[in-house]
Amino acid sequence: MKVLSVVGARPQFVKLAPVDHVLSESGHEHVIVHTGQHYDRLLSRAFFEDLAIGQPAVNLGVGSAGHAAQTAGILAGLDSVLDDQRPDWVLVYGDTNSTLGGALAATQHGLRLAHLEAGLRSFDRRMPEERNRIVADHLADLLLAPSAAGVANLASEGLARRTVLVGDVMIDALVRARAMIAAEPGQYLPAFARAGPYLVATIHRAETTDDPDRLAATLSALAVCPLRVRLLAHPRLADQARRLGLPLSAGSLEASDPLPYPSMIATMAASVGLVTDSGGLQKEALLLGVPCTTLRARTEWPETLQRGWNVLVPDPCDLAAAVSRPRPPGEPPQPYGDGHAAARVVAELAGRLGEKREG
Ligand code: UD1
């Protein structure tokens, strides 16, 4: 079987890693196409190195642009690649513009399309990620859902026949990262994490960064948190703050560059809590047993809200109270699978090769 993965943004490299490992261990051919949506070393190459992912066969080099131009660049770039490669499956991941471009291009070339992390919904179509995941789900021949809620969302949109619950490949990646950290404790924890209790924060969604008032209110709220807050600044946030003259280090708030994946996991695991507007981190916090505060009105990972492990805080004014809440008692629920999702993904792809495609 020949599988062609289209990836381009940081969280997709994490999802790609376990799939790449299982495909190569089972003797299948795996062609990785990097769209170039993310190009900074810390957002891209570091992940391929740390997670031992095979080299991309092609990098389309689309870089940064508006949603339409970025997606168009991916579509144009994939044309000759898909013609040359003619894979048995095109596999797209999550909800970025690279997912959208990969999904459209695959179907335009008449190729079988599978969507990994299918069925998630924030029910907020203002988010580009929500639009991207809806389109990818409706185009795909095979919908690989990470959770029961994802399966239910797909059923309610008439997509049950194409859906299979595989669990979440990010758990596979996390299990491996925890083993790496356990084998060499100390190797992955940055110096700031050894200097007393702290919260970890990430902010990069357009809804937060591109609204100057909201960004200013969010940074002010982080600066008055009752604990040190280490803000791992995505380049989009750093650019925007510079442009608006907003300090990223003030009061409790201290900013630094994004961390490589194993260090990020070690840093979150040792923290008092996470403050984020990201999707994937909400879930990783739950798995690590770290309380999460999400600076959004809705989440596509509703299971994280159980017993207050994750709390939605749409108004930054409520942040200090939310991060001061007591840690939920006991261990967190584990609704996202057993760390063997990638093996199920590969088995589904291989098992369906002989099937006639639906119209
Ligand atoms: C994208 C995804 C988002 C995902 C995030 C992970 C979409 C619509 N959004 O958002 O779902 O959570 O990736 O990080 O696809 N930039 C750099 N260096 C880079 C990449 C980006 O400096 O390597 C800066 C540029 O100023 C760029 C901005 O970040 O304009 C935004 O990058 P973009 O790829 O458009 O989206 P993300 O915000 O990273």
Side-chain angles (χ1 to χ4, degrees):
M1 174 172 69
K2 178 170 177 176
V3 177
L4 184 147
S5 286
V6 180
V7 290
R10 175 170 61 173
Q12 291 171 325
F13 309 137
V14 178
K15 295 165 202 170
L16 171 70
V19 173
D20 182 51
H21 297 154
V22 175
L23 280 170
S24 51
E25 280 154 20
S26 18
H28 296 299
E29 188 180 351
H30 190 204
V31 178
I32 298 173
V33 178
H34 191 320
T35 63
Q37 177 172 351
H38 284 178
Y39 42 85
D40 282 352
R41 192 182 183 288
L42 281 175
L43 296 191
S44 178
R45 178 127 45 103
F47 283 76
F48 282 81
E49 289 167 6
D50 290 337
L51 302 179
I53 305 170
Q55 281 304 305
V58 188
N59 189 319
L60 303 179
V62 295
S64 300
H67 296 307
Q70 199 173 49
T71 309
I74 295 167
L75 279 171
L78 281 174
D79 250 346
S80 59
V81 177
L82 296 182
D83 270 345
D84 289 349
Q85 296 285 347
R86 302 302 306 171
D88 296 305
W89 283 101
V90 173
L91 185 56
V92 295
Y93 301 69
D95 54 20
T96 73
N97 292 339
S98 296
T99 316
L100 176 64
L104 273 170
T107 47
Q108 283 164 343
H109 282 255
L111 295 165
R112 273 197 178 82
L113 172 68
H115 183 205
L116 185 75
E117 209 179 70
L120 302 191
R121 296 290 180 268
S122 66
F123 301 102
D124 182 354
R125 285 196 183 209
R126 286 169 304 177
M127 296 174 73
E129 292 81 7
E130 182 77 350
R131 303 191 294 270
N132 292 345
R133 52 174 92 95
I134 289 171
V135 174
D137 282 343
H138 283 260
L139 290 178
D141 300 280
L142 176 60
L143 298 167
L144 300 158
S147 62
V151 171
N153 289 334
L154 292 168
S156 74
E157 293 176 26
L159 299 171
R161 274 158 52 81
R162 299 176 184 198
T163 300
V164 47
L165 177 64
V166 288
D168 190 339
V169 292
M170 276 183 116
I171 312 300
D172 303 25
L174 191 75
V175 167
R176 191 174 158 126
R178 288 179 104 167
M180 280 166 71
I181 295 163
E184 285 180 276
Q187 152 102 6
Y188 297 102
L189 208 55
F192 72 79
R194 301 165 207 265
Y198 62 93
L199 297 165
V200 183
T202 75
I203 299 168
H204 73 272
R205 294 277 178 183
E207 303 82 60
T208 325
T209 58
D210 294 2
D211 175 343
D213 292 338
R214 183 162 176 84
L215 181 57
T218 303
L219 293 172
S220 303
L222 288 166
V224 297
C225 276
L227 216 59
R228 279 195 307 145
V229 182
R230 175 56 64 143
L231 175 63
L232 301 167
H234 183 288
R236 168 185 221 130
L237 169 66
D239 282 355
Q240 209 36 7
R242 205 174 302 117
R243 199 170 307 132
L244 297 169
L246 297 170
L248 288 183
S249 294
S252 306
L253 189 58
E254 40 191 58
S256 53
D257 283 341
L259 289 171
Y261 178 71
S263 288
M264 183 64 182
I265 297 300
T267 301
M268 276 208 288
S271 74
V272 175
L274 171 73
V275 180
T276 192
D277 62 358
S278 150
L281 287 178
Q282 298 171 46
K283 178 183 57 182
E284 283 165 343
L286 181 79
L287 297 165
L288 293 168
V290 173
C292 179
T293 304
T294 301
L295 293 162
R296 282 165 45 184
R298 298 190 176 93
T299 178
E300 60 278 26
W301 299 104
E303 303 84 356
T304 59
L305 301 173
Q306 292 174 68
R307 304 206 320 261
W309 280 100
N310 185 17
V311 170
L312 299 177
V313 175
D315 184 347
C317 293
D318 300 326
L319 182 64
V323 299
S324 307
R325 72 190 190 273
R327 191 177 189 281
E331 292 303 310
Q334 299 295 337
Y336 298 118
D338 54 7
H340 298 288
R344 276 185 217 106
V345 167
V346 173
E348 288 293 335
L349 295 175
R352 286 163 194 259
L353 264 190
E355 281 181 11
K356 196 169 169 302
R357 291 178 72 192
E358 283 182 33

